[in-house]
Amino acid sequence: MTRRIPPDVSPTDPSVRPLLIGHRGAPGYRPEHTASSYRLAFTMGVDAVEPDVVVTADGVLVIRHENEISGTTDVADHPEFADRRTTKRVDGERLTGWFTEDFTWAELATLRCRERIPALRPGSAEHDDTEPILRLTDLLEIVGEASSEQGRAIGVVLEVKHATYFAGIGRDPAPLVERDLREAGWAAGEHPLWIESFEQTVLADLRGRGVRAVFVYLLEAAGSPADLVARDGRLAQTYADALTPAGLDVLARDVDGISVDKQLLLQDAGPRLVDEAHRRGLRVFTWTCRPENAFLDRRFRHSGGAAAFGDYRAEWARIAETGLDGVFVDHPDLGAEAFRG
């Protein structure tokens, strides 16, 4: 028996699709996950914004795409933190740099944010070193203010990053997410809230804690989720397994929606995947719609190099034709124009 998504957590008329989600705010124009990036996304009309949360040494949830922060902050320019540089294995990947779990919130608060891909987005990089890192609680306050100012309910699509990794080092993010949401008044259905992760374990944990949200399972185009690899090793179910009819049957009992790599929707089987998910009561999101050639399917690239805009309208039109329910965009103004007409 499939479960339907609770109607009281949807911020938009269900006839209006797809949901427009500011991916890390509006990072096509401002460094990702900064207050200005989020505020710009609100003015461009997004229905919701997507923060990624990772954990500090003292149990604070901060908004960064990864726990390794050398590419998105000025941490390397702080000599007092030089000895924190280290190498770790996170979800099977060997990484060298500075990691949020090795800093207290007070220490991270001294850093400033930077554009992650300055070669592709030099305009955004002009705003480097001007804004601090945000906590989840900071963003929830900003979203609440924007909702009041604009007279509409703006939602949050909260991604929990590296849950199994953090739990393994004694910093389980689930109770921290529950804590912050409850203290901010976001845990009982008061505001439009989605919670997503590439790991189902943390989604089940948060649902079991009574957090009211739309729970969305993120799926890569290849590979296996970190929580299942930690438990089952080479026998771990793949993301592809989860997208078979039998896999979708199981997902429909455990989550409210799926969010897939856009390449899966750009394939000939994309519309069928959306239809199969919808038949089971699952909503379908996709990530990430970006206009630069570097991120477009080869069929839609133009001349001018990686940073030039290709025929993103044609790519996004093909995605929209699948009938999906939500899209993540880096340029919310372009997304609104393409998906809303």
Side-chain angles (χ1 to χ4, degrees), residues 24 27 30-34 37 64-65 72 113 115-116:
R24 312 175 200 169
R30 296 290 188 277
E32 64 188 31
H33 291 319
T34 57
S37 183
R64 290 286 87 193
H65 180 249
T72 60
C113 299
E115 168 57 44
R116 184 170 55 88

Side-chain angles (χ1 to χ4, degrees), residues 59 63 134 167 226 233 252 261 288 318 340:
I63 300 177
L134 297 174
D261 186 325
T288 300
R318 181 160 180 154
R340 296 288 166 77

Side-chain angles (χ1 to χ4, degrees), residues 8-301:
D8 57 344
V9 297
S10 177
T12 60
D13 182 334
S15 67
V16 178
R17 291 189 305 180
L19 193 78
L20 193 66
I21 306 163
H23 180 240
R24 312 175 200 169
Y29 303 106
R30 296 290 188 277
E32 64 188 31
H33 291 319
T34 57
S36 66
S37 183
Y38 287 113
R39 290 191 174 106
L40 184 58
F42 303 145
T43 65
M44 291 179 170
V46 297
D47 299 304
V49 291
E50 185 243 15
D52 302 297
V53 293
V54 292
V55 187
T56 69
D58 50 347
V60 176
L61 290 174
V62 295
I63 300 177
R64 290 286 87 193
H65 180 249
E66 297 292 340
N67 55 327
E68 200 288 293
I69 57 172
S70 61
T72 60
T73 73
D74 63 349
V75 64
D77 294 340
H78 285 250
E80 68 272 26
F81 299 139
D83 61 350
R84 307 284 178 92
R85 189 173 188 270
T86 187
T87 298
K88 301 187 181 190
R89 187 169 293 277
V90 181
D91 293 349
E93 183 177 0
R94 185 178 173 86
L95 300 171
T96 297
W98 288 263
F99 297 81
T100 59
E101 63 268 25
D102 296 330
F103 293 80
T104 65
W105 163 241
E107 290 172 327
L108 288 178
T110 67
L111 305 182
R112 293 297 176 265
C113 299
R114 288 183 174 174
E115 168 57 44
R116 184 170 55 88
I117 44 176
L120 293 182
R121 294 175 175 171
S124 174
E126 291 178 2
H127 302 273
D128 282 357
D129 302 338
T130 62
E131 296 184 71
I133 293 174
L134 297 174
R135 296 166 293 186
L136 175 59
T137 52
D138 297 325
L139 176 65
L140 295 177
E141 184 176 348
I142 291 170
V143 173
E145 292 171 353
S147 296
S148 297
E149 291 169 0
Q150 297 192 19
R152 63 189 182 96
I154 300 172
V156 168
V157 183
L158 171 60
E159 182 178 349
V160 183
K161 302 299 293 268
H162 307 304
T164 298
Y165 166 79
F166 278 118
I169 60 172
R171 296 182 179 88
D172 186 353
L176 305 178
V177 171
E178 180 194 7
R179 175 200 66 196
D180 284 2
L181 292 176
R182 290 201 185 284
E183 290 180 359
W186 279 73
E190 306 96 324
H191 304 276
L193 174 67
W194 295 257
I195 300 178
E196 62 179 7
S197 178
F198 285 100
E199 303 170 59
Q200 273 190 264
T201 305
V202 69
L203 299 180
D205 190 345
L206 286 164
R207 189 189 292 278
R209 292 172 178 273
V211 174
R212 294 199 64 197
V214 177
F215 289 92
V216 178
Y217 184 35
L218 287 157
L219 295 107
E220 298 270 13
S224 298
D227 54 342
L228 298 189
V229 170
R231 187 189 70 189
D232 302 328
R234 294 182 179 180
L235 299 178
Q237 181 190 58
T238 66
Y239 288 117
D241 292 333
L243 291 174
T244 63
L248 289 172
D249 286 341
V250 174
L251 286 180
R253 297 196 295 266
D254 298 332
V255 297
D256 304 305
I258 59 174
S259 185
V260 300
D261 186 325
K262 69 173 182 174
Q263 288 302 322
L264 294 173
L265 299 189
L266 290 169
Q267 297 172 6
D268 291 340
R272 185 168 69 250
L273 171 59
V274 175
D275 288 343
E276 290 288 341
H278 282 168
R279 283 178 47 210
R280 292 162 173 82
L282 293 166
R283 288 189 182 177
V284 181
F285 291 175
T286 196
W287 45 272
T288 300
C289 290
R290 296 163 165 146
E292 295 98 342
N293 282 324
F295 303 113
L296 293 174
D297 183 271
R298 291 183 180 276
R299 292 168 289 178
F300 303 104
R301 295 175 187 172

